[in-house]
Amino acid sequence: MEKIGFFVCHCGSNIKATVDPNVVLDGVRSIPGIVVAEQYPYMCAKTGQNMIADAIKTNGLTGIVIAACSPRMHEATFRKVAEAAGLNPYMVEIANIREHVSWIHKNKEEGSQKAVALAKAAIAKVKLNAPLFPEENSVIKRALVIGGGIAGIQAALDIAEAGYEVDLVESSPSIGGKMAQLDKTFPTLDCSACILTPKMVDAASHDKINIMTYSEVEKVEGFVGNFTVTVRKKARSVCMEKCTGCGDCWNKCPVKNIPLEFDLGLQNRKAIYIPFAQALPLVPVIDREHCIMMKSGKCGLCQTVCQPGAIEFDQEDELVTQKYGAVVTATGFETINLDKFGEYAYNDSKDVITSFEFERITHGAGPTGGELKRLSDGRKPKSVTFIQCVGSRDISGRGKPYCSKICCMYTAKHAVLIKDKYPDVNVNVFYIDMRTPGKAYDEFYRRGVEEYGVKYIKGQVGKVVDKGNCLTISAVDLLDNVKMELETDMVILATAIQPVPSAKPLASMLSASIDTNNFMTEAHAKLRPVESPTAGVFLAGAGQGPKDIPETVGQAGAAAAKVIGLLSKDVLLSNPCTAMVDINACNGCSLCAPVCPYGAISYGPATVNDHGLKTIERVSHINQALCQGCGACVVVCPSGAMDLQGFSNKQLLAEVDALC
Amino acid sequence: MLNPAFETKEILLNSRTIAEKCMKCGRCSAACPSYEQMDIRPHQFVSYLMRGDVDGLLSSTTLWKCLSCFACVQRCPRGVAPAQLIESVRLAAIRQKGGDGITVEDVVGELDDEMPQQLLVAAFRKYKG
Ligand SMILES: Cc1cc2nc3c(=O)[nH]c(=O)nc-3n(C[C@H](O)[C@H](O)[C@H](O)COP(=O)(O)OP(=O)(O)OC[C@H]3O[C@@H](n4cnc5c(N)ncnc54)[C@H](O)[C@@H]3O)c2cc1C
Ligand code: SF4
Ligand code: SF4
Ligand code: SF4
Ligand code: SF4
C-alpha cells in the first residue's frame, strides 16, 4: 500500500493570497494513501526541506506531492531532498499552484478549488510512479565553437585557456567577423583592428585551438557531453601547409572585377584572394565560380607564379567528423536588405549608403582610403545626413519589430568621426529616440552635440530624393513642429540588423530553439542567458540578440565558463524519463523512427512472447542515451507498445480522471 | 453632442487602427503633402485622439486638408494608419452636422432593385442640409 506525503507551500503571500492552504489540505486529506498533509510558508527553504525529509523518514513514505511553484523552478530541489532522505527522486510530483493558479486568478475561493483539483491529479499520478534510475554518460572533453567573430574567438580562447581542446568553425575564409570590418569603436574610438588582430593571432597560435575556416557544420548527432558533428571544409584550392601568404598569386590573377564581400562590394577582388590584409589564416582561397582555370581549364597563372607550389586545383571538399562535449553558437548578424524602403533611395543613389558601408568608407583600407567622398562623383560632401532606426522598431512588415540596439551609438560615433576629421562638414542626425545606456555612452553622444556640433533632429525622414548634384530630405522637426526640406550631399542609413540566414538551419541541426526573429533563444531570459534550452548548447554574440562588442565579449566569456563547467565533469547523469517499448506488443510497423527528432529509434530482431509462443520478431529499439523523452513516438504507436517512463499513458489518464 | 469618451472610442473603432502603437517618429507628418496647410499635424492627430480631445479635432482644418493620399499609412512603421483616423473623425463630423443625417425612413421610398447596395451604405454617411 502506498504512503503519500502531501505538502502545500504558501510561497510567502505569492500563493497564500489567492489559495487557502487549509482548503487544499482538507481537499486531499481523505484521499486513500495520504498519510501526511502539511503546509509551510516556504517549502523550498531549509526548514521546509527538512520537514519533507523528516516526513519521508518517519512515515516511510513511498511518494510525495508538493503543491507549490512551477516544476521548472524547484522540481530539482525537491528531488534532491527526497533522494537524500532515501526516496527515489522520481517518486516526487509537483502540483503547480503558483503559475497555474495564484498568479493567474483573483478569486480566492475558485483559486483554492482549482488548487485542490491540481493536487488531486498529482496524487493520482504519483501513485503510479515507479522508481527510475539515470544512466551515467561520459563527457567528451572537447568543445565546438561555431562562428569566428569576436564572440567565437573570445569563447574559444577562454575555453582553451582552461585546458580544453576547441575547434572553431568559420564559414568565411578568415576569422574576425564584423569587427574586422569596422574602423573605430565607440565609445573610446580605439581602432577596431588594433584590438581585434591580437586576439585573432592568439586564437590562431593557441595549441588547444584548431581553426577551420571556409567551413560549415553539416550534421549534428548526439546529446550533451557527447555530440558527433560533421564539418564540411570547403575546397580552398590552396594548400594551407605550403602557402606562405606572399601574395604572388593574387597579384597575378587576371580576374579583377569580382565584388569583395569584405568591403561590401565597394572594392573588387581577384578570383584568388584574401578578404583583408590581416586575414587569418593568411592563405588565399580560389573562388571557383569565377576562376578561369576552373571554368575553362585555361590560365593557371597563380600556379605558375606560386613558388612553394601551394595551388591545388583538384582539391575536394573534406568532411571532418569529431566528437564534442559542448557546442557554442556565435554566428553573429548581418544588415537587412533595404529593397522595401524605396523612400530612402538606397537602390537609386550611390550617395545613400548604409552605416556598415560607411565603416568601410571611413576605414584607411577601404574604397576611398579613409577619405570622406561621395561615391557618385568623388566630391567631398559639405553636408552629411544620418537617419536612425531604418527598418528597426517597424511592425508594418517591412522591417524588424525590435530595436537594433547598436545604431544610436555607432551613428554617434560616425558623426563624431566626420566632425573630427572635417569640422566644416554639416552633420545632421534624424532620430526617433536616443538609446545610449552603457558606460560612458551618453557622455559620448553628448560630446558629439556639445563639442563637435553634431545636430540632432527628432523626427524620422519621410523621403530622400537624389537630385544629381545633391540629395533632398523631407522631414519634420517634431519638437518645433516644422517641416524641413533639407539639401545634403550624403545620406547614411542606420540599418536594422538580423541574424545570419544560416542560423535557422543550424538551430534545427542542434535542436536548439530560435525566436520569431531567428535569434537563438536562451533557456531563461534572465537567469540562464547564455544557455540554449538544449543541454550542452551555449550562446554568444549578436546571434542571440543585437549587442555591441563589450556585451558580446562578456557573453562569450560567460558561455565559455558554462562550457568549462560542463567539460570539467567526468560523467553526466541522463534523464531517465525516456521512451520504453514493450517488445511483446510492438508489431514492427516502423511508424515511430521517422517521428523521432533525435534519431533514437532503430529496428532489429528480438525474442518476443507471442501469446505464450516464443518467436523472433523485428521490433523497435530505443537508444536510451539519445532519447530525450519528447514522447513523439508514443503518440504515433498504433499498438500501444510505446510508453514514456515517468509520463506513461496510465499516469496521464489517472491525472485526467482525477480532474474530471 | 455625444459623450466625448464614447466618441473617441467609436472613432478609434471605426478607423480600425490602434493609436497606442504610435511611437511618435513623425514619419507620417514627414510624408504628408498637406502638412503645412494643417493646424493639427498627422502625428499630433494620433495624440489628440489618445487624449480624447475630439472637439479640438472636429474644429481643425486638418479634417478638410487631408488628401486621403495614404502616404502616411504607407510610411508608418507601426501600422497606425493616421489617414484612417482622420477619415473616421471626418465621418463623425459629417454625421454630427446639424444632426440631420439621412435616416432609414428617408431611404425607404427611394429604394429600387437597380440601386447598388454600396450607394445605400454611402448615403448613411451623408447629411441632408
Ligand atoms: C556599422 C556598425 C558599426 C558598429 N560599431 C561598433 C562599435 O563601434 N563598437 C561596438 O562595441 N560595436 C559595434 N558594432 C557591433 C559589432 O559589430 C558587434 O557587436 C560584433 O561584431 C558582434 O560579434 P559576433 O561575433 O557576435 O558576430 P559577427 O561579428 O557577425 O561574427 C560572426 C561570425 O560567424 C560567422 N558565421 C556566421 N554563420 C556561420 C555558420 N553557420 N557557420 C560558421 N560560421 C558562421 C560569420 O562569418 C562571422 O565571421 C557595430 C556594428 C555595425 C553594423
Ligand atoms: S587559375 Fe584562376 S585563380 Fe589562378 S590566376 Fe587564373 S583565374 Fe586566377
Ligand atoms: S539603437 Fe537607436 S537607431 Fe537603432 S533601432 Fe534602437 S533606437 Fe533606433
Ligand atoms: S492621407 Fe492625409 S494625413 Fe495622410 S499623408 Fe495624405 S494628406 Fe497627409
Ligand atoms: S508614422 Fe506612425 S508611429 Fe510614426 S508618428 Fe505617425 S502614426 Fe505614429
Side-chain angles (χ1 to χ4, degrees), chain A residues 194-511:
Chain A
C194 313
I195 52 177
L196 173 69
T197 317
K199 277 202 188 282
M200 289 166 60
V201 173
D202 283 353
S205 57
H206 204 293
D207 62 349
K208 296 275 183 199
I209 300 180
N210 168 36
I211 298 178
M212 290 185 258
T213 49
Y214 214 43
S215 301
E216 267 157 33
V217 171
E218 186 139 306
K219 191 169 152 205
V220 181
E221 287 170 318
F223 47 91
V224 55
N226 199 338
F227 294 100
T228 305
V229 179
T230 306
V231 172
R232 175 178 293 271
K233 293 174 89 169
K234 286 185 280 178
R236 210 175 181 103
S237 315
V238 179
C239 173
M240 296 273 279
E241 288 70 34
K242 290 188 195 153
C243 173
T244 59
C246 68
D248 286 348
C249 54
W250 66 79
N251 285 331
K252 262 280 168 320
C253 175
V255 182
K256 292 195 175 91
N257 52 355
I258 314 300
L260 172 57
E261 297 80 357
F262 183 83
D263 248 331
L264 310 167
L266 298 175
Q267 285 193 85
N268 287 339
R269 61 165 170 81
K270 303 289 185 76
I272 184 165
Y273 70 103
I274 53 165
F276 56 109
Q278 299 81 10
L280 261 178
L282 194 65
V283 175
V285 293
I286 293 183
D287 166 2
R288 294 190 162 190
E289 205 189 314
H290 295 106
C291 164
I292 306 170
M293 185 76 180
M294 287 295 177
K295 285 197 293 195
S296 64
K298 298 194 190 89
C299 183
L301 270 176
C302 52
Q303 197 169 38
T304 319
V305 296
C306 179
Q307 294 278 357
I311 308 292
E312 296 176 348
F313 292 114
D314 54 358
Q315 250 187 28
E316 280 176 19
D317 287 4
E318 193 189 337
L319 293 178
V320 184
T321 301
Q322 185 61 264
K323 281 181 169 277
Y324 303 97
V327 180
V328 178
T329 69
T331 48
F333 71 97
E334 61 178 26
T335 49
I336 66 164
N337 176 302
L338 290 175
D339 286 354
K340 288 189 190 148
F341 292 87
E343 68 266 34
Y344 292 136
Y346 176 74
N347 289 341
D348 310 331
S349 172
K350 281 187 137 180
D351 299 321
V352 179
I353 58 172
T354 67
S355 299
F356 202 21
E357 288 164 343
F358 178 74
E359 287 286 344
R360 295 312 299 157
I361 287 175
T362 184
H363 196 288
T368 61
E371 252 182 85
L372 185 63
K373 276 186 194 166
R374 281 160 47 103
L375 292 179
S376 60
D377 52 16
R379 200 156 49 80
K380 188 190 130 194
K382 291 196 202 74
S383 138
V384 176
T385 302
F386 289 90
I387 306 176
Q388 294 197 163
C389 296
V390 175
S392 295
R393 312 168 65 192
D394 185 319
I395 54 175
S396 70
R398 296 201 289 165
K400 299 288 167 185
Y402 46 83
C403 162
S404 293
K405 195 172 179 178
I406 52 178
C407 12
C408 277
M409 275 313 289
Y410 70 55
T411 299
K413 169 183 77 172
H414 293 164
V416 166
L417 287 178
I418 294 179
K419 276 291 196 184
D420 194 41
K421 268 199 226 169
Y422 313 97
D424 56 322
V425 174
N426 254 324
V427 178
N428 291 308
V429 180
F430 284 93
Y431 72 100
I432 306 176
D433 298 294
M434 280 307 289
R435 298 188 168 168
T436 55
K439 200 163 162 178
Y441 283 14
D442 204 63
E443 296 92 314
F444 179 87
Y445 143 62
R446 290 309 307 171
R447 242 193 350 269
V449 176
E450 293 161 28
E451 290 172 27
Y452 289 88
V454 179
K455 283 196 216 69
Y456 277 81
I457 302 154
K458 178 165 168 71
Q460 231 199 11
V461 169
K463 199 173 171 82
V464 177
V465 178
D466 191 347
K467 292 272 165 79
N469 57 346
C470 74
L471 299 142
T472 58
I473 306 251
S474 314
V476 164
D477 179 334
L478 288 180
L479 296 183
D480 291 340
N481 213 356
V482 290
K483 186 100 182 168
M484 297 182 77
E485 293 290 342
L486 204 79
E487 284 194 354
T488 192
D489 297 316
M490 203 167 180
V491 172
I492 303 178
L493 307 175
T495 309
I497 60 172
Q498 64 184 6
V500 292
S502 64
K504 199 173 175 178
L506 184 69
S508 62
M509 271 191 262
L510 288 163
S511 315

